[in-house]
Every structure is written in C-alpha cells, then in structure tokens.
Amino acid sequence: MKKSIGVSPNIETLFGTRDENVRLLEDGLNITINLRSNAIELEGAARDVARAEQVFADYENLQRSGYNFANGDLNSMLRVLTSDPNSTLRGLADAGRQRSFGRRTVQPKSSNQRRYLEAIEKHDMVFGVGPAGTGKTYLAVAMAISALLAKRVNRIILARPAVEAGERLGFLPGTLQDKIDPYLRPLYDALYDMLDPEKVDRYLEKNVIEIAPIAFMRGRTLNDSFVILDEAQNTTSEQMKMFVTRLGFNSKAVITGDITQIDLPSARRSGLLEAIDVLKSVEGLAFVHFDEGDVVRHHLVQRIVRAYDEHKARVAEQQMLLLAEPKIAEASGGTDKGPSAAVASDRTPTEG
C-alpha cells in the first residue's frame, strides 16, 4: 500500500539527525518513507502505513500545542512506539506531561522502561531487575521525586546495602555519614540531576529525603513514604525480608538490582534472588525485568552486557557437558560387560 501525506511546517525536525528517526520508523514498522518536494510517501502493509501516518499526525498536533521535545526524547518515544503496537506518540507525550520530575523531563527509552513506570504508578511494591545502565535506579528516583512534588508522599527514603564491589576499602575516616556516603553516591547523583542542589540540601537537612544503609531500617514502619532499595542483589535473605516488611500506610517501595553483579560472599544467597522466587505469586507486587536492549548508556554498554551474557551461557553449557561425561562413561561401562567381568561376578568370596 502507498500513501502520500502533506508536508507540514518544521516536519523535518521529526526526521532527526541524519534521518535517524526515519530509519527507526522504517525498521520498526516495516515501511518505506520517501520525502518528496510537496509530500511524504509511505509504503508498506496497510496497518503499518496507518501507524506511521498517525505518528506524523501526532507530531504535527504536538508541535501546534507548543510541546517541546527535549534532547533525545523524540527518539526514545519512537523506540517505545515501534516496539509496542498499542502506544502512540501523543499518548507517550501526554504521559510525560502528567509526571513532574523537578527540573528534568524523563521519558521511558524502551517498552520495558515504560512498563516499569506504569508498574510503579499502579503497585505499592515493584521489583526492577536487570543489567547495569537500564535506568532502574534513575527512574525509581524520578518517580519518587514526582510523588513528593505532587504531595502524594511526605518523604523519600533511599536505602542501599554497604557492600564493596569485589574489594575491601578498610576503615573509612569521618563521621557515620561520611563512612556510608561512598556507597550511596549513585542515589545522590540522581537527586542532584533532577532537583536544584539547594533544594536537595534542604530536603536532606530536614530529613524529607533520607539516605541510609539498609542495616538502619530494622524496627521502623515507613508511612507516607516512597522507599527505594538500590543494589538489592547485595542484600542477604534476612535483610530483604526485613526491608519488604517495613512498608506502612500510603507508601510505595521500589527494589532494584542486577542479579549478575552479586558481591556477597559465595556462601550467602542473594536476598533479591530469594525474593523473586518467594514473592512471585504475591498479589499486589510487580516484577519488571530488563535486558541489554534497555541499556541507555553508551552504545558499547549494550554490546558488553550481551557479550557477558553469551559468555555466561557458554560457560554454563561447558559445565553441564563436564558434569555429564562421568555419567555417560559410567553408563557405558556398566552396560558393556566383557567375559572377564562375567567370570568375576560368578566368583564367590573366599574366607580369609
């Protein structure tokens, strides 16, 4: 099917740098887009052409209404749109308007990120599990700030286990806050990225935003709070059970972690792994799993994560083969008995 649509003013901004958005639409919707002097030609299956036409119409309407796409937001929306047939450009833009993230505009950059944000809005406890760079912590902090600014909660509590990443730092100098700050720095980074530094400092001073290691959570009941547990793969089973039972009235909890980067001693099982197994059928919880396609850091990070996953799969396959070899040898040796084996089996033991 071929269809021509009119060229509206500034439509070239939809195409992106070096027409990257056009290629994204062509690959995602299986269509061909050609720009003529006075029209845009769309060619493909009728359903796919209709979706592309809707994208151009939504973009024109959003421009007329004064909507400004921040750097990279349009490309992110188009990625979500091409992977989710039920989404529209207008719907994604309106969803972003409804959330206030301080001085930042935060748009989901993949369908899993979109499901993550929707899960946080609909459920009181959400687990975000996936590799590094998929936005688990950043989006959770963004949703916490949105809830605080909208006065849906009175405070934000950010917790994290104080576990080194494969090395021992020894005794750190300074006060207790000075000692735990290095472990909680990623949470500070997200806060300062979305709010003015003066506001963050004021919230921290008044304990509107509280950052603490998970060990300090025992015995507390957290009401009217948005609670985030980061790096949950480094919690023990006891710590995870303690944390998920802290939730009070009118509160939300988001637990994030990467089960491929567990820094606990080998004898301890990750509390996150156990929680995924134990709580998967509990009503009211949501689990969102990310993969390398959701990585929003440098494009090399996606390839690195994929390479590690493939290496892990190869190692697991080799270990399975090594474990299977003795069993195969034992089975073949037991069934293939020679004459000497038969004679030996007929002999009766002699008395010593």
Side-chain angles (χ1 to χ4, degrees):
M1 175 184 176
K2 274 189 179 182
K3 185 156 189 181
S4 295
I5 57 177
V7 177
S8 59
N10 298 321
I11 193 64
E12 66 276 3
T13 56
L14 171 61
F15 290 3
T17 306
R18 297 179 181 176
D19 294 341
E20 62 177 353
N21 293 337
V22 173
R23 290 195 297 273
L24 179 60
L25 285 172
E26 287 181 327
D27 294 339
L29 300 179
N30 295 318
I31 61 170
T32 302
I33 302 175
N34 293 311
L35 180 61
R36 305 303 182 193
S37 58
N38 58 350
I40 298 172
E41 282 188 1
L42 308 176
E43 184 176 358
R47 184 178 178 182
D48 298 330
V49 168
R51 288 200 69 203
E53 186 179 7
Q54 185 65 49
V55 170
F56 282 96
D58 285 349
Y59 185 77
E60 184 178 352
N61 290 331
L62 287 168
Q63 277 200 319
R64 286 178 179 173
S65 65
Y67 187 91
N68 291 318
F69 291 93
N71 185 31
D73 279 352
L74 178 58
N75 186 268
S76 301
M77 290 183 192
L78 293 177
R79 287 182 186 279
V80 175
L81 186 147
T82 53
S83 62
D84 182 1
N86 297 318
S87 62
T88 64
L89 186 61
R90 177 131 204 166
L92 293 172
D94 289 342
R97 281 174 176 167
Q98 293 166 9
R99 307 183 185 107
S100 174
F101 298 110
R103 62 180 184 177
R104 275 274 185 181
T105 300
V106 178
Q107 281 289 345
K109 299 185 185 302
S110 69
S111 56
N112 282 333
Q113 286 193 356
R114 184 189 181 196
R115 281 194 286 271
Y116 185 51
L117 294 180
E118 290 174 350
I120 293 173
E121 288 178 336
K122 294 176 183 177
H123 297 84
D124 289 335
M125 186 174 291
V126 176
F127 287 78
V129 184
T134 50
K136 305 181 299 294
T137 303
Y138 191 87
L139 291 175
V141 173
M143 293 298 285
I145 290 172
S146 175
L148 181 66
L149 296 179
K151 301 189 186 305
R152 293 194 296 272
V153 297
N154 294 330
R155 58 180 173 165
I156 298 172
I157 299 174
L158 308 173
R160 195 178 188 187
V163 177
E164 293 101 339
E167 57 183 331
R168 296 193 176 278
L169 303 179
F171 293 100
L172 297 174
T175 64
L176 178 63
Q177 192 65 37
D178 294 332
K179 292 176 187 293
I180 65 175
D181 273 357
Y183 300 103
L184 305 171
R185 181 51 52 189
L187 299 174
Y188 282 111
D189 292 342
L191 287 172
Y192 283 109
D193 194 38
M194 294 181 213
L195 293 173
D196 292 326
E198 297 80 11
K199 183 173 282 190
V200 175
D201 293 339
R202 187 166 67 250
Y203 282 159
L204 289 169
E205 184 180 347
K206 295 182 177 181
N207 275 337
V208 174
I209 297 177
E210 179 184 345
I211 303 181
I214 192 173
F216 293 0
M217 305 294 286
R218 187 174 296 279
R220 301 180 65 180
T221 301
L222 306 173
N223 296 316
D224 299 306
S225 304
F226 197 114
V227 194
I228 299 172
L229 173 59
D230 192 30
E231 298 290 341
Q233 76 276 5
N234 288 328
T235 59
T236 63
S237 175
E238 296 81 9
Q239 286 175 327
M240 179 60 76
K241 181 181 178 183
M242 179 268 293
F243 178 83
V244 297
T245 55
R246 298 305 95 198
L247 203 62
F249 296 106
N250 190 38
S251 291
K252 282 184 180 289
V254 179
I255 297 101
T256 70
D258 177 4
I259 57 176
T260 67
Q261 296 191 31
I262 298 173
D263 299 313
L264 291 170
S266 56
R268 306 299 296 272
R269 190 189 181 196
S270 167
L272 179 59
L273 283 173
E274 184 177 82
I276 293 171
D277 186 41
V278 173
L279 303 178
K280 60 187 176 185
S281 59
V282 175
E283 188 178 351
L285 294 177
F287 289 87
V288 180
H289 293 270
F290 298 88
D291 55 38
E292 75 274 0
D294 301 303
V295 173
V296 292
R297 292 178 182 168
H298 194 284
H299 60 85
L300 275 176
V301 177
Q302 280 191 10
R303 301 173 194 169
I304 291 170
V305 171
R306 190 181 305 116
Y308 270 102
D309 287 343
E310 291 171 354
H311 172 71
K312 184 179 178 182
R314 284 196 303 271
V315 170
E317 186 178 352
Q318 290 169 0
Q319 288 176 341
M320 291 293 291
L321 290 173
L322 289 174
L323 289 172
E325 279 179 3
K327 294 180 180 179
I328 295 171
E330 183 181 345
S332 61
T335 56
D336 186 19
K337 290 184 177 181
S340 60
V343 172
S345 64
D346 290 336
R347 289 175 181 166
T348 56
T350 57
E351 293 182 1

